[in-house]
Amino acid sequence: MENTLKTIDSKELSPSLQAKAIISGLTRRGFLLLTATLGSCAVADPLLGTVRPSAKPGSSAIKTPSNTGYQTPRIRGTVPTNPDMTMGTDFSSKSGISFSRVLVSGKYIALTFDDGPHPQNTPRLLNMLRARNIKATFYVIGRNVELYPQVVRRTVAEGHEIGNHSQTHRLLSKLSDSQIRSELSRCRDAVNRAAGVQPRTMRPPYGGLNQRQREMVHAEYGYPVILWSVDPLDWKRPGPAVVSSRILAGASAGGIVLAHDLHAQTVDAMPATLDNLLLRGYQFVTVSQLLAMKNNSPVHQTAVAPAAH
Ligand SMILES: [Zn+2]
């Protein structure tokens, strides 16, 4: 927690002329071409890989920089706000290899946003989250991080967590181990270059990663594989009201919500969704905070199989 902002030069947080140049012209077109081919994380059946507790003895707790200690400036206004979260973010590698939810004793929930950063929609979402003191987890694509590093810097600076969603969003289960390593290492390095932090968890594109591959990734990168318990199918663009109602219907304590911050409709759905969940008593945490809670719970727990959709 103390290591939060030390690696970030505050001067870098303002968009520079250089950053504005990056967003323009060819690179934006490249982004749109890239995202047009992406589809969704959630097309594949998340049950592709069987989920079971780690059979391997884990090592020590994972220690990579994170910034979830950031305190949002108090905004007194019209929206409900998430309470300040003081719980830790360190989780043990013994916790498990795959998670679609975590059994917790409180009404905690983790929002995750995949496939960004997006030059307009992600900052718009960040504004909504900041107004409500909500921290989320962003599973970014390395190629987009390279296009919009300033968006990732802002995301980290405002206390959100970054997860690894591969460099180019290929179906990892079809790749060789060395290709998987390349996809994960390049994304990790892009995040580190952009914002001075390292992802601590990963989400495979389309949920596609078999059990052997998950164990390999966990052993070599220390990443738990994070799936989801709520999938609003927002990538099909059903409209903000439908996205919102699906998330609200699927929300539960310890749940992990899958959404995509590159879609305008998803971001449009957030104010009503967030306010409703806050009014229902949910407290928002990052994925690492949720996993860290698992360690601290007195209840014996095992990894839970993903919900079928
Ligand atoms: Zn994705």
Side-chain angles (χ1 to χ4, degrees):
M1 302 264 275
E2 297 86 16
N3 57 12
T4 54
L5 274 171
K6 287 179 183 169
T7 53
I8 300 169
D9 182 343
S10 59
K11 291 174 186 167
E12 291 183 75
L13 300 180
S14 309
S16 64
L17 288 174
Q18 188 180 9
K20 287 176 182 168
I22 289 171
I23 299 176
S24 66
L26 186 63
T27 53
R28 176 175 295 180
R29 193 162 67 241
F31 176 86
L32 292 173
L33 286 170
L34 171 66
T35 54
T37 63
L38 289 180
S40 157
C41 314
V43 173
D45 185 343
L47 288 170
L48 263 178
T50 53
V51 180
R52 58 183 169 80
S54 169
K56 297 180 179 178
S59 55
S60 57
I62 296 162
K63 294 191 186 307
T64 50
S66 62
N67 185 31
T68 44
Y70 172 86
Q71 299 293 307
T72 304
R74 273 282 159 243
I75 300 172
R76 297 185 199 288
T78 55
V79 297
T81 56
N82 197 47
D84 288 328
M85 292 291 166
T86 55
M87 75 272 291
T89 59
D90 282 342
F91 55 86
S92 167
S93 60
K94 296 176 184 173
S95 303
I97 292 179
S98 300
F99 296 90
S100 59
R101 60 181 306 115
V102 176
L103 298 180
V104 293
S105 50
K107 214 169 174 183
Y108 300 103
I109 196 165
L111 284 179
T112 64
F113 295 97
D114 291 12
D115 297 355
H118 184 281
Q120 284 87 39
N121 291 325
T122 305
R124 205 156 59 86
L125 172 61
L126 291 173
N127 291 342
M128 296 168 181
L129 296 173
R130 185 170 59 185
R132 294 164 178 81
N133 193 33
I134 290 172
K135 309 300 188 298
T137 304
F138 291 78
Y139 286 96
V140 297
I141 297 172
R143 221 152 104 184
N144 292 346
V145 173
E146 290 170 353
L147 289 172
Y148 310 110
Q150 73 282 7
V151 179
V152 182
R153 275 198 290 280
R154 178 183 165 190
T155 304
V156 170
E158 295 186 357
H160 304 287
E161 187 172 307
I162 305 294
N164 193 325
H165 198 43
S166 83
Q167 180 67 14
T168 64
H169 208 270
R170 297 173 70 186
L171 181 59
L172 300 182
S173 56
K174 299 290 187 191
L175 303 185
S176 68
D177 286 357
S178 65
Q179 286 174 311
I180 292 174
R181 290 188 188 100
S182 171
E183 283 284 332
L184 294 179
S185 295
R186 289 169 68 200
C187 178
R188 175 197 63 195
D189 295 346
V191 169
N192 199 18
R193 279 195 303 274
V197 299
Q198 298 222 17
R200 309 175 75 212
T201 66
M202 71 87 68
R203 171 171 287 151
Y206 316 104
L209 201 64
N210 68 39
Q211 183 62 24
R212 186 195 62 77
Q213 293 167 325
R214 292 179 190 194
E215 290 174 1
M216 186 266 291
V217 166
H218 187 257
E220 295 188 14
Y221 290 84
Y223 295 153
V225 175
I226 306 300
L227 299 169
W228 53 86
S229 61
V230 184
D231 179 4
L233 300 175
D234 58 316
W235 57 274
K236 291 186 177 178
R237 303 181 194 186
V242 173
V243 172
S244 184
S245 66
R246 286 175 178 168
I247 292 174
L248 294 173
S252 62
I256 300 172
V257 179
L258 168 68
H260 298 80
D261 55 321
L262 78 169
H263 296 309
Q265 284 191 358
T266 301
V267 178
D268 293 343
M270 282 304 125
T273 307
L274 302 175
D275 292 348
N276 205 313
L277 289 171
L278 285 167
L279 291 171
R280 291 187 191 184
Y282 282 100
Q283 300 186 35
F284 293 91
V285 294
T286 68
V287 165
S288 287
Q289 285 176 324
L290 197 64
L291 295 180
M293 261 185 256
K294 179 176 190 290
N295 298 344
N296 298 331
S297 168
V299 181
H300 177 70
Q301 297 172 15
T302 56
V304 179
H309 297 286

